[in-house]
Amino acid sequence: VDGWWDLIFGQRFKWIMAPVPLLGAPMMGVNPYKISVTRSLANYRKPVLLIHGRDDRLAKPSDAEANFKSLPGPKKLIWFDHS
């Protein structure tokens, strides 16, 4: 998530928004630091097309591979080079 703040708004905005997960968690009833996309995808049963860049710096390719492996249903992973 930190990478998104840097990419979209820059380093200064990241520091301004830092308290949001801590303040929002009690209101939403969800701890954003304990969310696991990989674990959640293990329960998804529909077909999935996962598209990912090999050089992605925000969402690591290793995370995409872990997410893909956790999917139980029909699935396909497409990689884009230089992105």
Side-chain angles (χ1 to χ4, degrees), residues 20-41:
V20 169
L22 299 174
L23 298 172
M27 292 188 304
M28 299 295 291
V30 174
N31 183 340
Y33 299 107
K34 292 188 178 183
I35 294 173
S36 170
V37 173
T38 303
R39 256 194 330 264
S40 296
L41 289 175

Side-chain angles (χ1 to χ4, degrees), residues 5-83:
W5 294 124
D6 289 342
L7 176 71
I8 297 171
F9 299 107
Q11 188 72 20
R12 194 171 296 153
F13 190 76
K14 177 178 149 183
W15 290 107
I16 293 169
M17 296 302 292
V20 169
L22 299 174
L23 298 172
M27 292 188 304
M28 299 295 291
V30 174
N31 183 340
Y33 299 107
K34 292 188 178 183
I35 294 173
S36 170
V37 173
T38 303
R39 256 194 330 264
S40 296
L41 289 175
N43 298 318
Y44 192 74
R45 304 281 181 235
K46 302 214 180 202
V48 173
L49 173 60
L50 185 59
I51 301 171
H52 204 279
R54 291 191 191 276
D55 301 323
D56 195 324
R57 294 180 300 174
L58 297 178
K60 297 180 276 184
S62 60
D63 291 341
E65 289 172 356
N67 290 338
F68 181 74
K69 287 178 185 174
S70 74
L71 288 162
K75 58 189 175 182
K76 182 170 185 160
L77 174 58
I78 296 177
W79 290 101
F80 283 98
D81 293 324
H82 314 296
S83 57

